[in-house]
Amino acid sequence: MCTSPVCVNVKDQIYLTAKEKQIFDRLLEVLRHFNLQTQLRVAGGWVRDKLLGKECYDIDIALDNMLGKEFCEKVNEYLSSTGEETHGIGVIQCNPDQSKHLETARMRLFDVWIDFVNLRSEDYSENSRIPTMKFGTAEEDAYRRDLTINSLFYNINTGSVEDFTGRGIMDLKSGKIVTPLPPKQTFLDDPLRVLRAIRFGARFGFMLDEELKIAAADDDVKAAIADKISRERIGHEIDLMISGNHPVKAMAHISELQLFWAVFSLPPESEPSTSEGCERLCVACMDSTSRLLELLELSSFTDDQRRLCLYAALFIPFRKTIYRDNKGKKIPVVSYIFRNSLKLKASDAETVLSLHLAAEKFVSLIPLILSNEDTQILEVDWKREIIDVSAASKLRVLAGLLLREIKEFWRAALVLSMLLRPAITACTTNSSNKESELDKKRELCDRIEKAILELGLEKVWELKPLVNGKDIMNVLQIKSGGPVVKEWQQKLLEWQLAHPSGSADECIDWMRQTHSKRARTE
């Protein structure tokens, strides 16, 4: 984990866009019209991002003496008095499980959604991450926030940045992730803050404070992560990390702070049992895949394909690990992690399992694709029986069947297969050797992709069958479907892949001849 200090370019003041100035001026007009003494402060991420020179469209305004809904009603009352159109007010009710501890009012001003909430202070009970909330001062509100860099305010009334913790700007400039209050108690109050600290550290490339790291690795904090946070919230934070700009750094923090098994909890008994240091292997696999993705042409990867490819790399050491459910049925541990530990979509688990399977199939297919010998005997362990065609056609059949299984994720499966190829998995600590191995993997991926495209297999999963079930039953002279029809559907698909220019009549003729030969043999 990087511990070298960071020097961050932080602006001396906040420069508003024309739209932001328009919004803030309108809010100040409301204050003047009603002679309100309310202080309007933009809170949190918007202030941080503006000081870093980044645009942010997430404006949260904290009020010191009224509820958000009350102020939004004042805005509409002002608009009515000037003959302007009023806006609908949405109220997001208190929802502690979604980290919404007080209601938030929302309205649209100049085509931008603005959230309004009152300043608050909070007290936590011993066994809950749900605090008792009450009106607070700006200073109390700043100190209750997760990190000093997220505790800054921009006071709309005065046009100035306010740093009530006294170190928000300093930590932003030095690239430090620090909690406003002592970290252990901060994390015990709300253990989700541990994961948020890691996420922001990875996102900005900031250094985690030493005291924060000690607190994050504390056994009490790990227990609190398991006991006080819903798995949905853990999964949401992890998903933001994996989808972010530095997912490997985030996972490395989780591993090195000994939080891996608290986050990615496993069922009580799994087969085979996990080996010591398995979490480091998981992160190393993800690191290797992430580096390879950076070298490849990523325009062919959607954001979701990249996200699930990284998940698949992270969990590839578990691809053969199972556990038994209450009925004794074998279930992949990867499925348990997605469905139970992270509470992510079932489809995510299914895609990652499919990627693992397809990656293993690619490993045995790659040598056949690279070989130039047309007379070779083509065999893979996952497809022993195939129709009798030439070696070149057989290769197209095998590759086509694999792509039809994994569909648009085939490039992700190809990238993952690089983790499983024996010739490229030798462990090395030499950075130049690592770069050399990475270049070899990239060249190999490029060659395989080019070969698959030259075979005309792009989007082969959209290929429609030339012959339908009814035609098959006519040839076989049977009146109902069943396993025999399914068997012939598979054979005819293989024929179609072997003969990309073939017609439906040619396909049926081949079927008749093959069926006739089989009947005579039997």
Side-chain angles (χ1 to χ4, degrees):
M1 200 182 300
C2 178
T3 56
S4 57
V6 181
C7 185
V8 181
N9 183 23
V10 177
K11 296 189 177 298
D12 294 329
Q13 59 180 304
I14 285 179
Y15 298 93
L16 302 179
T17 64
K19 177 76 72 176
E20 290 163 345
K21 188 174 188 309
Q22 193 177 26
I23 292 168
F24 296 167
D25 285 348
R26 171 56 52 88
L27 297 178
L28 292 174
E29 288 167 11
V30 174
L31 294 183
R32 287 192 290 269
H33 180 80
F34 293 105
N35 196 28
L36 298 173
Q37 302 306 306
T38 304
Q39 293 289 308
L40 303 174
R41 293 178 170 92
V42 189
W46 182 90
V47 186
R48 177 200 66 224
D49 288 352
K50 294 290 286 189
L51 288 172
L52 291 173
K54 303 174 187 293
E55 287 306 315
C56 182
Y57 307 99
D58 186 14
I59 301 177
D60 298 327
I61 295 179
L63 312 162
D64 66 340
N65 63 359
M66 69 170 67
L67 292 172
K69 184 183 178 185
E70 293 173 346
F71 186 78
C72 288
E73 289 168 347
K74 289 291 185 185
V75 173
N76 272 339
E77 194 177 335
Y78 171 77
L79 293 175
S80 295
S81 71
T82 59
E84 295 180 62
E85 183 183 354
T86 59
H87 301 290
I89 301 170
V91 178
I92 303 168
Q93 298 296 334
C94 169
N95 186 348
D97 198 46
Q98 296 296 320
S99 292
K100 295 288 184 184
H101 302 302
L102 279 183
E103 73 171 35
T104 301
R106 171 175 287 187
M107 76 184 311
R108 200 169 176 85
L109 289 176
F110 301 107
D111 296 321
V112 177
W113 284 106
I114 314 291
D115 284 355
F116 296 87
V117 68
N118 57 278
L119 293 170
R120 68 198 87 168
S121 65
E122 57 193 29
D123 293 307
Y124 285 86
S125 63
E126 186 176 341
N127 295 314
S128 174
R129 64 176 292 269
I130 302 173
T132 302
M133 308 298 299
K134 59 184 180 181
F135 273 95
T137 64
E139 183 174 356
E140 286 173 328
D141 194 283
Y143 273 99
R144 73 165 185 86
R145 294 184 179 262
D146 54 359
L147 304 171
T148 55
I149 63 169
N150 294 337
S151 69
L152 298 165
F153 292 107
Y154 173 76
N155 190 313
I156 295 175
N157 301 58
T158 62
S160 61
V161 175
E162 297 172 330
D163 184 2
F164 288 101
T165 68
R167 59 175 302 169
I169 292 174
M170 177 179 69
D171 290 335
L172 200 59
K173 287 181 176 179
S174 59
K176 276 189 172 183
I177 298 295
V178 185
T179 56
L181 295 172
K184 182 173 179 179
Q185 190 56 50
T186 297
F187 294 156
L188 289 176
D189 284 345
D190 185 354
L192 191 69
R193 289 169 173 165
V194 180
L195 299 183
R196 286 176 57 82
I198 289 170
R199 175 161 64 86
F200 282 113
R203 175 181 169 186
F204 294 114
F206 285 4
M207 180 176 60
L208 301 185
D209 175 67
E210 285 302 316
E211 193 179 345
L212 181 149
K213 289 194 286 187
I214 292 169
D218 187 274
D219 287 341
D220 292 340
V221 172
K222 283 187 273 190
I225 290 174
D227 297 338
K228 290 181 70 173
I229 317 180
S230 72
R231 284 285 150 183
E232 287 85 354
R233 292 297 294 152
I234 291 176
H236 178 67
E237 283 296 323
I238 295 299
D239 216 37
L240 289 173
M241 293 179 202
I242 299 293
S243 304
N245 55 342
H246 294 295
V248 176
K249 185 174 287 187
M251 293 305 107
H253 282 317
I254 286 175
S255 171
E256 292 173 28
L257 294 175
Q258 301 168 46
L259 296 171
F260 196 88
W261 303 118
V263 172
F264 305 111
S265 60
L266 301 181
E269 294 183 9
S270 55
E271 307 167 20
S273 58
T274 51
S275 58
E276 186 178 348
C278 181
E279 69 275 18
R280 293 192 296 275
L281 177 59
C282 290
V283 176
C285 288
M286 187 183 183
D287 182 35
S288 177
T289 298
S290 177
R291 290 173 184 271
L292 183 54
L293 287 173
E294 288 174 10
L295 286 179
L296 294 169
E297 181 55 60
L298 282 182
S299 61
S300 56
F301 280 75
T302 65
D303 289 343
D304 205 44
Q305 286 167 5
R306 175 184 175 273
R307 178 180 74 92
L308 290 171
C309 183
L310 290 174
Y311 270 124
L314 182 68
F315 299 138
I316 208 164
F318 298 126
R319 70 190 184 281
K320 296 184 184 298
T321 308
I322 58 97
Y323 74 102
R324 296 179 186 273
D325 64 12
N326 295 334
K327 297 179 181 178
K329 183 181 177 183
K330 292 181 178 180
I331 309 290
V333 157
V334 171
S335 182
Y336 180 93
I337 293 173
F338 274 96
R339 294 168 182 259
N340 297 78
S341 303
L342 304 178
K343 295 289 185 181
L344 294 176
K345 294 181 293 184
S347 60
D348 284 351
E350 290 160 6
T351 300
V352 167
L353 290 170
S354 297
L355 280 168
H356 287 167
L357 187 60
E360 290 185 336
K361 291 182 176 181
F362 255 122
V363 170
S364 57
L365 191 61
I366 286 171
L368 310 184
I369 294 176
L370 296 177
S371 175
N372 295 319
E373 298 178 21
D374 291 335
T375 57
Q376 64 182 311
I377 299 174
L378 288 176
E379 279 194 7
V380 290
D381 54 7
W382 47 271
K383 184 65 177 172
R384 293 294 186 188
E385 294 184 10
I386 197 169
I387 62 172
D388 186 19
V389 290
S390 68
S393 295
K394 194 170 184 179
L395 176 59
R396 191 177 194 276
V397 172
L398 291 170
L401 291 175
L402 176 52
L403 265 62
R404 283 177 69 86
E405 282 181 24
I406 196 66
K407 299 183 173 63
E408 62 270 11
F409 280 87
W410 70 267
R411 287 182 175 88
L414 173 60
V415 168
L416 283 172
S417 71
M418 298 298 111
L419 293 172
L420 304 177
R421 279 175 55 80
I424 313 185
T425 54
C427 183
T428 176
T429 56
N430 186 299
S431 59
S432 62
N433 286 347
K434 280 186 176 181
E435 292 304 315
S436 174
E437 287 296 308
L438 199 59
D439 285 337
K440 289 177 185 176
K441 290 179 181 180
R442 184 201 63 199
E443 291 170 9
L444 182 55
C445 282
D446 287 341
R447 286 180 65 188
I448 300 302
E449 179 182 17
K450 182 181 178 183
I452 285 174
L453 297 180
E454 286 176 351
L455 287 169
L457 293 173
E458 176 74 334
K459 295 192 176 181
V460 68
W461 52 91
E462 296 178 358
L463 182 70
K464 297 290 189 290
L466 290 172
V467 180
N468 59 36
K470 188 176 179 181
D471 294 330
I472 293 172
M473 288 189 287
N474 285 338
V475 173
L476 298 177
Q477 296 181 337
I478 57 177
K479 293 183 178 180
S480 61
V484 67
V485 172
K486 188 174 181 180
E487 179 188 344
W488 274 106
Q489 284 175 325
Q490 178 65 23
K491 289 181 181 295
L492 293 173
L493 171 61
E494 291 173 13
W495 184 92
Q496 198 170 338
L497 288 170
H499 303 84
S501 301
S503 66
D505 288 341
E506 289 171 327
C507 189
I508 289 175
D509 285 343
W510 174 83
M511 180 187 171
R512 285 199 176 101
Q513 292 171 18
T514 306
H515 178 56
S516 177
K517 286 179 185 177
R518 179 192 283 188
R520 286 197 300 271
T521 303
E522 293 175 350

